[in-house]
């Protein structure tokens, strides 16, 4: 290393040495993961602990030379991390906002009791959700599509209730997913072929799909090989762990229901929506559920409905339902579809497919029907905890509305940006954002060599912005749940969907609608600066710990002051951390904090609480 004559030069040289040695230790930890193989969680935890002891000879990064010495001002008495204890073993699958006991106190009508009902502040857990005994790292994709370790979701009820429908089978220490469903016991591939005979799902025209009442999400799992990404949801109900199984398989899914609240997605988001005997009463409540599907469906998008009441004349005996009831059910669906200006493209066997018209203003039927009511709100994306309405969401004319086929769509200028409808975002700033995140992701890959190896399948970006991180990391080996916080300055989720990516609205002052241990990697850029003074940082970090798999990784990117506080909190959460500089050097105040969640399971050496 060249000699320097200035104090600044010596400081930078020292920092560079520290970074290199620190990253070598971190690489060693990541290498241990790779060497350990499947099901060696305890060994990995020991290896990480041993490695950290060796790495402790490396001092923490010092920011004194370019940060005014604030690190040195932390009082020694205050620097000790608060130790968080594990929750009791009965909470291994705890979902705070879909807690069964709390749910039963709410009305049954319109599935209100299955919606999000989060605990008040005084009831939030201040403990860490443990993994069940025997928990192991899931199989890598695509093996995970077909096999899930029994220890990770030890629930056999579906193997009995859905035995003849080919959903799931129990074999030794794993669950096997043959790809069947209630409407496709012969397999999802054949079922998707039937859809593909009507809908162009092979040329990139259809990229994003919504699966309502998804079961174990085999439809979404098998669409993946056709370059279609499905957002699947199902309620937490008497069929235990449907969504948990979906995420263990590596398929995008959340706990959710069509009830009284709008879906947490922007308008005009999905190219295709799907219901396979999903038990949603589409004709009820003046068609409110079909109107909500219409809101999230892109102009020109498709709706697939299979199962009752389609083709009821042939199937009513097999369904063991009166002909009259099924006939009236289908009549209502057809009537509502006409109001929505959906054109039926096919009805064959037990499947019907409608298409939403591209230009809703040209629909003469709407103009002639006095019973058609358009929503008064001008913002079809304003949905968080907002009630569903029996009205039609207008589709505004947006320049460049016709999207390019995927994957060209990933970096093309999204119509919302081209039209200037996203405040403060131009085509130039969009392109600059893409360049910035390509640079960041390249730096991440140098820090964590497993990032593009297939080790991380389920990834979450907690503050997704324009979705540029997800675009830069795009791979057939992984998918990203792009979360746009409800308090974000700019609503960008519509842009994310126009890129052919998926995402959701969420407020991080509340728990996410998923089971514990469902994400392999979490990305949190600027999140704690955004939520400063909004809610407790400890609560957000405990929620991150809940949804992160053992030995999963977290990448924080934020101002150094913020990351120092985060690092202190996670010091009591069984996470190993390493602070690294911005890729442009130590003088940039934004830093990156890398964290790895240790492997531990219920019944360990700590006392349970709650």
């Amino acid at each position: 290393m060249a000699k320097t004559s200035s104090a600044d030069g010596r400081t930078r040289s020292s920092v560079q040495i520290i970074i290199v040695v620190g990253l070598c230790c971190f690489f060693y930890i990541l290498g241990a993961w790779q060497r350990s193989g499947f099901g060696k969680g305890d060994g990995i935890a020991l290896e990480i602990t041993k490695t950290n002891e060796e790495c402790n000879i490396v001092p923490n990064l010092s920011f004194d030379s370019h940060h005014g010495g604030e690190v040195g001002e932390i009082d020694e008495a205050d620097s000790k991390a608060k130790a968080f204890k594990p929750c009791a073993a009965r909470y291994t699958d705890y979902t705070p906002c879909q807690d069964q006991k709390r749910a039963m106190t709410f009305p049954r009508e319109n599935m209100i009791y299955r919606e999000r009902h989060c605990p008040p502040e005084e009831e939030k857990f201040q403990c860490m959700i443990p993994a069940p005994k025997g928990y192991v790292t899931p199989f890598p994709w695509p093996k995970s599509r077909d096999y899930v370790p029994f220890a990770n979701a030890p629930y056999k009820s579906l193997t009995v209730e859905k035995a003849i429908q080919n959903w799931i089978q129990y074999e030794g220490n794993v669950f096997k997913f043959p790809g069947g469903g209630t409407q496709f016991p012969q397999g999802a591939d054949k079922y998707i072929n039937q859809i593909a005979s009507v809908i162009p799902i092979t040329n990139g025209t259809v990229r994003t799909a919504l699966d309502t009442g998804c079961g174990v999400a085999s439809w979404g799992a098998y669409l993946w090989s056709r370059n279609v990404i499905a957002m699947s949801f199902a309620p937490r109900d008497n069929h235990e762990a449907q969504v948990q199984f979906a995420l263990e398989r590596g398929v995008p899914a959340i706990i959710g229901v069509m009830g009284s609240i709008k879906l947490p997605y922007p308008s005009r988001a999905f190219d295709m929506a799907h219901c396979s005997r999903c038990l949603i009463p589409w004709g009820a409540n003046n068609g409110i559920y079909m109107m909500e599907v219409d809101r999230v469906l892109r102009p020109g998008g498709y709706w697939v409905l299979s199962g009752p009441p389609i083709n009821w004349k042939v199937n009513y005996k097999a369904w063991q339902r009166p002909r009259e009831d099924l006939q009236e059910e289908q009549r209502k669906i057809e009537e509502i579809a006409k109001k929505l200006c959906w054109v039926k493209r096919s009805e064959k066997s037990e499947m019907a497919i409608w298409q939403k018209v591209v230009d809703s203003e040209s629909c003469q039927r709407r103009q002639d029907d006095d019973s058609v009511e358009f929503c008064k709100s001008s913002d079809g994306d304003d949905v968080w905890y907002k009630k569903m309405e029996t009205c039609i969401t207008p589709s505004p004319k947006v320049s460049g509305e016709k999207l390019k086929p995927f994957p060209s769509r990933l970096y093309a200028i999204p119509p919302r940006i081209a039209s200037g409808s996203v405040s403060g975002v131009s085509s130039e700033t969009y392109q600059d954002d893409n360049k910035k995140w390509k640079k960041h992701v390249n730096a991440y890959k140098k820090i964590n060599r497993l990032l593009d190896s297939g080790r991380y399948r389920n990834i979450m970006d907690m503050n997704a912005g324009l979705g540029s991180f997800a675009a830069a990391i795009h791979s057939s080996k992984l998918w990203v749940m792009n979360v746009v916080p409800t308090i974000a300055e700019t609503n960008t989720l519509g842009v994310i969907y126009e890129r052919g990516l998926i995402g959701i609205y969420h407020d991080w002052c509340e728990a996410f609608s998923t089971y514990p241990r469902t994400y392999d990697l979490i990305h949190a850029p600027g999140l704690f600066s955004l939520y400063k003074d909004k809610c407790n940082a400890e609560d957000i970090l405990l929620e991150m710990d809940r949804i992160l798999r053992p030995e999963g990784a977290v990448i924080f990117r934020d101002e150094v002051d913020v990351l120092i506080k985060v690092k202190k909190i996670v010091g009591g959460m069984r996470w190993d951390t390493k602070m690294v500089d911005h890729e442009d050097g130590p003088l940039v105040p934004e830093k990156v904090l890398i964290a790895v969640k240790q492997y531990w399971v219920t019944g360990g050496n700590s006392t349970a609480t709650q």
Side-chain angles (χ1 to χ4, degrees), residues 248-493:
E248 284 293 320
R249 298 175 72 185
V251 182
I254 64 163
I255 303 171
V257 65
M258 293 281 276
S260 65
I261 303 297
K262 291 182 178 182
L263 297 174
Y265 315 115
S267 60
R268 314 188 313 279
F270 295 97
D271 301 312
M272 174 170 56
H274 171 257
C275 163
S276 172
R277 204 178 291 201
C278 60
L279 304 181
I280 295 171
W282 295 111
N285 298 331
N286 297 314
I288 195 170
Y289 303 124
M290 289 178 66
M291 291 177 183
E292 180 63 1
V293 169
D294 182 76
R295 182 186 69 80
V296 301
L297 202 59
R298 195 181 311 286
Y302 299 87
W303 187 52
V304 181
L305 175 62
S306 67
I310 303 304
N311 204 359
W312 58 269
K313 293 179 182 178
V314 175
N315 299 302
Y316 76 94
K317 288 184 179 178
W319 291 334
Q320 297 181 340
R321 289 184 56 188
R323 289 170 54 101
E324 296 76 15
D325 290 357
L326 289 164
Q327 182 180 18
E328 177 60 14
E329 190 176 328
Q330 181 149 359
R331 187 196 66 78
K332 286 183 178 179
I333 290 172
E334 300 282 6
E335 182 182 83
I336 297 159
K338 189 175 181 180
K339 287 183 179 181
L340 294 170
C341 285
W342 291 359
V343 178
K344 184 181 279 187
R345 296 301 184 193
S346 172
E347 180 173 335
K348 187 177 180 181
S349 185
E350 297 174 16
M351 180 188 294
I353 299 175
W354 286 266
Q355 184 176 20
K356 180 177 177 178
V357 296
V358 175
D359 183 6
S360 60
E361 290 186 4
S362 68
C363 181
Q364 187 65 41
R365 285 169 295 185
R366 280 181 176 166
Q367 297 169 9
D368 296 340
D369 192 340
D370 294 335
S371 67
V372 173
E373 182 180 349
F374 288 89
C375 300
K376 295 180 175 63
S377 173
S378 59
D379 187 359
D381 298 349
D382 183 17
V383 298
W384 187 246
Y385 284 121
K386 297 296 174 65
K387 291 283 187 181
M388 283 188 195
E389 301 174 274
T390 52
C391 56
I392 299 171
T393 303
S395 293
K397 284 189 174 181
V398 179
S399 62
E401 179 68 43
K402 186 173 175 58
L403 293 169
K404 292 189 176 182
F406 195 84
S408 299
R409 187 186 302 184
L410 193 59
Y411 281 105
I413 305 296
R416 279 173 164 88
I417 292 177
S419 66
S421 57
V422 181
S423 177
V425 182
S426 65
S427 297
E428 292 74 21
T429 55
Y430 167 75
Q431 291 170 333
D432 289 342
D433 193 67
N434 283 319
K435 291 176 184 177
K436 178 182 74 173
W437 281 105
K438 283 180 180 179
K439 182 179 179 181
H440 289 340
V441 167
N442 285 335
Y444 292 162
K445 289 179 178 179
K446 292 176 183 177
I447 297 170
N448 185 341
R449 293 176 296 180
L450 299 177
L451 207 56
D452 195 33
S453 68
R455 167 66 177 81
Y456 305 120
R457 169 68 180 173
N458 302 355
I459 297 178
M460 174 181 283
D461 191 345
M462 295 178 72
N463 188 18
L466 296 170
S468 299
F469 164 78
I473 206 172
H474 174 72
S475 165
S476 61
K477 301 172 187 175
L478 55 85
W479 59 271
V480 179
M481 179 69 78
N482 292 283
V483 181
V484 173
T486 56
I487 66 168
E489 185 177 344
T490 305
N491 182 356
T492 54
L493 192 54

Side-chain angles (χ1 to χ4, degrees), residues 158-318:
L158 283 177
T159 65
V160 178
E161 293 181 39
K162 303 296 182 180
I164 63 171
Q165 296 168 10
N166 223 17
W167 275 34
I168 179 173
Q169 300 165 358
Y170 176 63
E171 296 182 357
N173 63 348
V174 299
F175 288 110
K176 181 180 179 181
F177 296 83
T182 305
Q183 281 301 121
F184 42 94
Q186 301 305 310
D189 264 334
K190 288 184 179 179
Y191 178 80
I192 293 170
N193 285 340
Q194 184 181 347
I195 295 172
S197 67
V198 181
I199 300 176
I201 64 173
T202 58
N203 62 4
T205 301
V206 172
R207 164 63 180 174
T208 56
L210 179 67
D211 193 9
T212 58
C214 64
V216 294
S218 287
W219 187 70
Y222 279 79
L223 277 173
W224 186 264
S225 63
R226 305 179 193 228
N227 219 11
V228 176
I229 185 167
M231 171 71 79
S232 302
F233 70 81
R236 179 164 188 165
D237 59 8
N238 58 331
H239 294 326
E240 280 187 305
Q242 293 181 84
V243 168
Q244 189 175 22
F245 278 129
L247 286 155
E248 284 293 320
R249 298 175 72 185
V251 182
I254 64 163
I255 303 171
V257 65
M258 293 281 276
S260 65
I261 303 297
K262 291 182 178 182
L263 297 174
Y265 315 115
S267 60
R268 314 188 313 279
F270 295 97
D271 301 312
M272 174 170 56
H274 171 257
C275 163
S276 172
R277 204 178 291 201
C278 60
L279 304 181
I280 295 171
W282 295 111
N285 298 331
N286 297 314
I288 195 170
Y289 303 124
M290 289 178 66
M291 291 177 183
E292 180 63 1
V293 169
D294 182 76
R295 182 186 69 80
V296 301
L297 202 59
R298 195 181 311 286
Y302 299 87
W303 187 52
V304 181
L305 175 62
S306 67
I310 303 304
N311 204 359
W312 58 269
K313 293 179 182 178
V314 175
N315 299 302
Y316 76 94
K317 288 184 179 178

Side-chain angles (χ1 to χ4, degrees), residues 52-241:
N52 281 345
E53 290 171 356
E54 296 171 356
C55 291
N56 281 341
I57 60 172
V58 181
N60 289 328
L61 294 179
S62 171
F63 305 103
D64 292 353
S65 63
H66 48 87
H67 193 63
E70 288 188 26
V71 177
E73 293 172 6
I74 297 176
D75 184 48
E76 190 66 29
D78 294 334
S79 63
K80 188 176 180 181
K82 169 186 173 182
F84 294 92
K85 293 181 180 180
C87 303
R90 65 181 180 275
Y91 292 111
T92 54
D93 289 330
Y94 180 57
T95 55
C97 296
Q98 286 86 13
D99 180 63
Q100 296 285 65
K101 289 183 179 179
R102 185 178 297 108
M104 298 310 293
T105 66
F106 288 87
R108 297 294 188 99
E109 61 180 326
N110 297 330
M111 296 292 282
I112 290 173
Y113 76 117
R114 294 294 185 201
E115 294 180 324
R116 286 175 58 85
H117 302 291
C118 300
E121 193 67 32
E122 64 272 14
E123 292 182 19
K124 288 183 178 179
F125 284 8
Q126 289 295 304
C127 55
M128 299 183 298
I129 302 298
K133 284 184 179 180
Y135 178 87
V136 291
T137 303
F139 296 106
W141 184 268
K143 186 176 180 180
S144 66
R145 186 194 72 177
D146 302 327
Y147 297 96
V148 165
F150 171 76
N152 291 14
Y155 305 111
K156 295 183 181 179
S157 62
L158 283 177
T159 65
V160 178
E161 293 181 39
K162 303 296 182 180
I164 63 171
Q165 296 168 10
N166 223 17
W167 275 34
I168 179 173
Q169 300 165 358
Y170 176 63
E171 296 182 357
N173 63 348
V174 299
F175 288 110
K176 181 180 179 181
F177 296 83
T182 305
Q183 281 301 121
F184 42 94
Q186 301 305 310
D189 264 334
K190 288 184 179 179
Y191 178 80
I192 293 170
N193 285 340
Q194 184 181 347
I195 295 172
S197 67
V198 181
I199 300 176
I201 64 173
T202 58
N203 62 4
T205 301
V206 172
R207 164 63 180 174
T208 56
L210 179 67
D211 193 9
T212 58
C214 64
V216 294
S218 287
W219 187 70
Y222 279 79
L223 277 173
W224 186 264
S225 63
R226 305 179 193 228
N227 219 11
V228 176
I229 185 167
M231 171 71 79
S232 302
F233 70 81
R236 179 164 188 165
D237 59 8
N238 58 331
H239 294 326
E240 280 187 305

Side-chain angles (χ1 to χ4, degrees), residues 11-24 58-62 578-579:
T11 301
R12 283 196 294 272
S13 297
S14 300
V15 169
Q16 288 167 354
I17 292 170
I18 291 168
I19 292 170
V20 170
V21 178
L23 293 185
C24 286
V58 181
N60 289 328
L61 294 179
S62 171
K578 180 64 64 177
M579 188 93 77

